[in-house]
Amino acid sequence: MKKALVILILGILLPLGLEAQSLEQGNTRFHTYGTYGLRWKDFGVGAGVEYFFLDNFAIMPSFTYIMPNVGNRSNFSMDLRYYVSDGPSQLFFLAGYSQNWENLQPGDPGVRRTFKGANVGVGAYIRIVEWVGLNTEFRIQSQNPQEAGFKVGFAFPL
């Protein structure tokens, strides 16, 4: 939890004073977010970096630490995003690879299981001010625990 708080603080302080950006090749955004799963009702926090390798196309690796009632779980996702609109409100579709690690035992002992799969979703980036935007996302993951959920967070153009 301390690491997530440090990442969030750094993500807010570092990009102060940066210019707004469009969906052009070479642009980058740093994301911090919270997640909520609809099936298991677990909360999570995470961070990722979005890189536009072509106009309107971005790749975003992200890592999420999920806080279940018992044990621990984490997720790595590598998403391909396609933006269908530009401007202050940007709609995107995503598809990608996802991997979960989980230990359902209390504390650290236990068996760590790994699940690999895909995710698909839709989201929007809404520019709040020049140096920060709100990122919302709904995604469905195919691997165990087959969760559909929401991501809400902030994106900082770098």
Side-chain angles (χ1 to χ4, degrees), residues 29-104:
R29 293 179 184 154
F30 176 73
H31 292 254
T32 59
Y33 55 85
T35 65
Y36 181 72
L38 297 176
R39 182 175 181 191
W40 301 106
K41 299 180 181 9
D42 291 333
F43 289 96
V45 293
V49 176
E50 179 179 27
Y51 174 73
F52 288 87
F53 62 94
L54 290 173
D55 292 352
N56 297 335
F57 284 93
I59 191 153
M60 182 175 163
S62 62
F63 184 80
T64 307
Y65 177 74
I66 303 163
M67 296 168 266
N69 292 331
V70 177
N72 53 55
R73 183 180 297 144
S74 56
N75 172 272
F76 170 77
S77 292
M78 179 69 78
D79 297 327
L80 174 66
R81 292 178 168 201
Y82 173 66
Y83 284 83
V84 295
S85 62
D86 196 357
S89 179
Q90 303 165 358
L91 176 69
F92 63 87
F93 295 100
L94 69 91
Y97 167 80
S98 190
Q99 183 168 349
N100 282 349
W101 295 273
E102 72 178 11
N103 178 0
L104 299 179

Side-chain angles (χ1 to χ4, degrees), residues 1-14 30 32:
M1 187 66 169
K2 290 180 185 178
K3 290 180 185 177
L5 189 58
V6 169
I7 290 171
L8 179 65
I9 291 170
L10 287 176
I12 291 171
L13 295 178
L14 288 178
F30 176 73
T32 59

Side-chain angles (χ1 to χ4, degrees), residues 13-19 131:
L13 295 178
L14 288 178
L16 291 175
L18 295 177
E19 298 294 320
W131 55 272

